[in-house]
Tab-separated table of all heavy atoms in Angstrom:
chain	number	residue	atom	x	y	z
A	51	LYS	N	91.337	94.708	94.056
A	51	LYS	CA	90.437	93.983	94.952
A	51	LYS	C	88.980	94.421	94.889
A	51	LYS	O	88.103	93.705	95.351
A	51	LYS	CB	90.911	94.127	96.407
A	51	LYS	CG	92.277	93.541	96.642
A	51	LYS	CD	92.503	93.327	98.120
A	51	LYS	CE	93.893	92.846	98.431
A	51	LYS	NZ	94.075	91.424	98.164
A	52	CYS	N	88.701	95.583	94.392
A	52	CYS	CA	87.346	96.110	94.482
A	52	CYS	C	86.719	96.438	93.124
A	52	CYS	O	85.505	96.333	92.964
A	52	CYS	CB	87.321	97.394	95.318
A	52	CYS	SG	88.407	97.360	96.765
A	55	CYS	N	84.022	94.414	91.092
A	55	CYS	CA	82.612	94.446	91.481
A	55	CYS	C	82.053	95.862	91.557
A	55	CYS	O	80.848	96.062	91.401
A	55	CYS	CB	82.415	93.783	92.839
A	55	CYS	SG	82.742	92.007	92.835
A	56	HIS	N	82.911	96.836	91.849
A	56	HIS	CA	82.405	98.203	92.038
A	56	HIS	C	82.748	99.147	90.887
A	56	HIS	O	82.409	100.332	90.952
A	56	HIS	CB	82.920	98.773	93.362
A	56	HIS	CG	82.312	98.093	94.561
A	56	HIS	ND1	81.007	98.287	94.957
A	56	HIS	CD2	82.820	97.192	95.436
A	56	HIS	CE1	80.750	97.545	96.024
A	56	HIS	NE2	81.825	96.866	96.336
A	64	MET	N	78.456	94.789	89.476
A	64	MET	CA	77.527	93.905	90.207
A	64	MET	C	77.354	94.403	91.640
A	64	MET	O	76.367	94.141	92.289
A	64	MET	CB	77.995	92.451	90.174
A	64	MET	CG	79.248	92.228	90.978
A	64	MET	SD	79.365	90.709	91.906
A	64	MET	CE	78.094	90.736	93.080
A	65	GLY	N	78.343	95.167	92.122
A	65	GLY	CA	78.236	95.799	93.435
A	65	GLY	C	77.737	97.230	93.238
A	65	GLY	O	77.825	97.761	92.134
A	66	PRO	N	77.213	97.844	94.285
A	66	PRO	CA	76.691	99.211	94.156
A	66	PRO	C	77.790	100.227	93.871
A	66	PRO	O	78.954	99.973	94.137
A	66	PRO	CB	76.065	99.477	95.529
A	66	PRO	CG	76.724	98.522	96.461
A	66	PRO	CD	77.105	97.319	95.650
A	68	LEU	N	80.235	103.208	94.432
A	68	LEU	CA	80.854	103.737	95.651
A	68	LEU	C	81.141	105.223	95.499
A	68	LEU	O	81.342	105.938	96.469
A	68	LEU	CB	82.150	102.981	95.968
A	68	LEU	CG	81.989	101.481	96.232
A	68	LEU	CD1	83.341	100.851	96.512
A	68	LEU	CD2	81.035	101.225	97.390
A	71	THR	N	79.277	107.843	97.614
A	71	THR	CA	78.551	107.102	98.646
A	71	THR	C	78.236	107.990	99.845
A	71	THR	O	79.016	108.889	100.184
A	71	THR	CB	79.360	105.866	99.119
A	71	THR	OG1	78.628	105.235	100.165
A	71	THR	CG2	80.734	106.236	99.670
A	73	MET	N	78.067	106.750	102.764
A	73	MET	CA	78.752	106.182	103.931
A	73	MET	C	79.979	107.032	104.256
A	73	MET	O	80.651	107.525	103.354
A	73	MET	CB	79.219	104.752	103.621
A	73	MET	CG	78.102	103.734	103.583
A	73	MET	SD	78.743	102.118	103.057
A	73	MET	CE	79.455	101.503	104.592
A	78	ILE	N	82.928	102.837	106.024
A	78	ILE	CA	83.476	101.983	104.971
A	78	ILE	C	84.619	101.143	105.544
A	78	ILE	O	84.686	99.936	105.331
A	78	ILE	CB	83.986	102.824	103.777
A	78	ILE	CG1	82.820	103.593	103.134
A	78	ILE	CG2	84.664	101.917	102.746
A	78	ILE	CD1	83.251	104.609	102.087
A	81	LEU	N	83.262	98.400	107.627
A	81	LEU	CA	82.664	97.349	106.796
A	81	LEU	C	83.759	96.417	106.257
A	81	LEU	O	83.602	95.200	106.251
A	81	LEU	CB	81.896	97.980	105.632
A	81	LEU	CG	81.284	97.000	104.622
A	81	LEU	CD1	80.177	96.169	105.262
A	81	LEU	CD2	80.748	97.721	103.398
A	82	LEU	N	84.879	97.007	105.825
A	82	LEU	CA	85.960	96.193	105.263
A	82	LEU	C	86.690	95.404	106.340
A	82	LEU	O	86.954	94.216	106.168
A	82	LEU	CB	86.960	97.089	104.526
A	82	LEU	CG	86.395	97.806	103.304
A	82	LEU	CD1	87.443	98.739	102.728
A	82	LEU	CD2	85.931	96.809	102.254
A	89	LYS	N	74.993	92.484	105.513
A	89	LYS	CA	75.306	92.741	104.102
A	89	LYS	C	75.459	91.432	103.338
A	89	LYS	O	75.722	90.387	103.918
A	89	LYS	CB	76.621	93.519	103.992
A	89	LYS	CG	76.537	94.921	104.523
A	89	LYS	CD	76.203	95.881	103.422
A	89	LYS	CE	76.222	97.311	103.931
A	89	LYS	NZ	75.461	98.189	103.052
A	90	LYS	N	75.342	91.550	102.023
A	90	LYS	CA	75.568	90.388	101.176
A	90	LYS	C	77.067	90.144	101.020
A	90	LYS	O	77.870	91.038	101.243
A	90	LYS	CB	74.963	90.632	99.798
A	90	LYS	CG	73.445	90.601	99.815
A	90	LYS	CD	72.903	90.706	98.400
A	90	LYS	CE	71.665	91.569	98.348
A	90	LYS	NZ	71.707	92.655	97.408
A	91	ALA	N	77.418	88.937	100.573
A	91	ALA	CA	78.813	88.610	100.300
A	91	ALA	C	79.350	89.584	99.263
A	91	ALA	O	78.593	89.976	98.367
A	91	ALA	CB	78.910	87.184	99.791
A	92	PRO	N	80.614	89.982	99.312
A	92	PRO	CA	81.631	89.486	100.245
A	92	PRO	C	81.688	90.261	101.551
A	92	PRO	O	82.539	89.994	102.382
A	92	PRO	CB	82.926	89.716	99.454
A	92	PRO	CG	82.647	90.985	98.698
A	92	PRO	CD	81.177	90.920	98.338
A	93	HIS	N	80.753	91.207	101.777
A	93	HIS	CA	80.926	92.097	102.928
A	93	HIS	C	80.234	91.622	104.199
A	93	HIS	O	80.195	92.338	105.182
A	93	HIS	CB	80.463	93.509	102.560
A	93	HIS	CG	81.248	94.080	101.421
A	93	HIS	ND1	82.584	94.359	101.512
A	93	HIS	CD2	80.899	94.368	100.150
A	93	HIS	CE1	83.018	94.827	100.345
A	93	HIS	NE2	82.017	94.835	99.493
A	97	PHE	N	86.938	91.628	105.164
A	97	PHE	CA	87.513	91.526	103.821
A	97	PHE	C	88.957	91.077	103.936
A	97	PHE	O	89.740	91.669	104.662
A	97	PHE	CB	87.431	92.872	103.097
A	97	PHE	CG	87.456	92.720	101.602
A	97	PHE	CD1	86.287	92.536	100.880
A	97	PHE	CD2	88.660	92.723	100.917
A	97	PHE	CE1	86.309	92.369	99.503
A	97	PHE	CE2	88.693	92.561	99.539
A	97	PHE	CZ	87.514	92.382	98.828
A	108	LEU	N	92.077	102.775	102.469
A	108	LEU	CA	91.277	102.487	101.284
A	108	LEU	C	89.955	103.265	101.329
A	108	LEU	O	89.503	103.805	100.314
A	108	LEU	CB	91.021	100.977	101.211
A	108	LEU	CG	90.380	100.461	99.941
A	108	LEU	CD1	91.162	100.881	98.709
A	108	LEU	CD2	90.298	98.935	99.985
A	112	ILE	N	88.328	105.843	98.669
A	112	ILE	CA	86.991	105.707	98.079
A	112	ILE	C	86.205	107.019	98.176
A	112	ILE	O	85.467	107.381	97.260
A	112	ILE	CB	86.233	104.537	98.758
A	112	ILE	CG1	86.834	103.236	98.244
A	112	ILE	CG2	84.737	104.586	98.470
A	112	ILE	CD1	86.451	102.036	99.028
B	1	LIG	C1	82.652	90.004	94.746
B	1	LIG	C2	82.223	91.366	94.485
B	1	LIG	C3	82.696	92.468	95.419
B	1	LIG	C4	83.982	92.811	95.727
B	1	LIG	C5	85.256	92.142	95.269
B	1	LIG	C6	83.893	93.979	96.576
B	1	LIG	N1	82.582	94.313	96.793
B	1	LIG	FE1	81.911	95.867	97.893
B	1	LIG	N2	79.977	95.252	97.587
B	1	LIG	C7	79.594	94.180	96.803
B	1	LIG	C8	78.155	94.003	96.938
B	1	LIG	C9	77.337	92.918	96.240
B	1	LIG	C10	77.699	95.001	97.820
B	1	LIG	C11	76.266	95.215	98.325
B	1	LIG	C12	76.122	94.431	99.617
B	1	LIG	C13	74.800	94.686	100.313
B	1	LIG	O1	74.270	95.822	100.230
B	1	LIG	O2	74.298	93.763	100.948
B	1	LIG	C14	78.869	95.780	98.195
B	1	LIG	C15	78.817	96.880	99.041
B	1	LIG	C16	79.919	97.663	99.357
B	1	LIG	C17	79.871	98.870	100.151
B	1	LIG	C18	78.601	99.490	100.744
B	1	LIG	C19	78.039	100.441	99.744
B	1	LIG	C20	76.735	101.065	100.218
B	1	LIG	O3	76.490	102.230	99.852
B	1	LIG	O4	75.968	100.381	100.910
B	1	LIG	C21	81.142	99.349	100.236
B	1	LIG	C22	81.595	100.614	100.946
B	1	LIG	C23	81.989	98.434	99.509
B	1	LIG	N3	81.217	97.426	98.986
B	1	LIG	C24	83.346	98.586	99.379
B	1	LIG	C25	84.188	97.640	98.776
B	1	LIG	C26	85.617	97.747	98.749
B	1	LIG	C27	86.419	98.898	99.303
B	1	LIG	C28	86.081	96.631	98.126
B	1	LIG	C29	87.541	96.229	97.901
B	1	LIG	C30	88.341	96.042	99.091
B	1	LIG	C31	84.929	95.838	97.758
B	1	LIG	N4	83.804	96.485	98.164
B	1	LIG	C32	84.990	94.644	97.077
B	1	LIG	C33	80.431	93.397	96.040
B	1	LIG	C34	81.815	93.422	96.088
Side-chain angles (χ1 to χ4, degrees):
K51 298 197 185 282
C52 321
C55 293
H56 291 287
M64 69 142 297
L68 299 179
T71 177
M73 286 175 81
I78 297 171
L81 176 66
L82 296 176
K89 292 267 184 200
K90 288 186 219 126
H93 300 295
F97 204 88
L108 189 54
I112 286 166

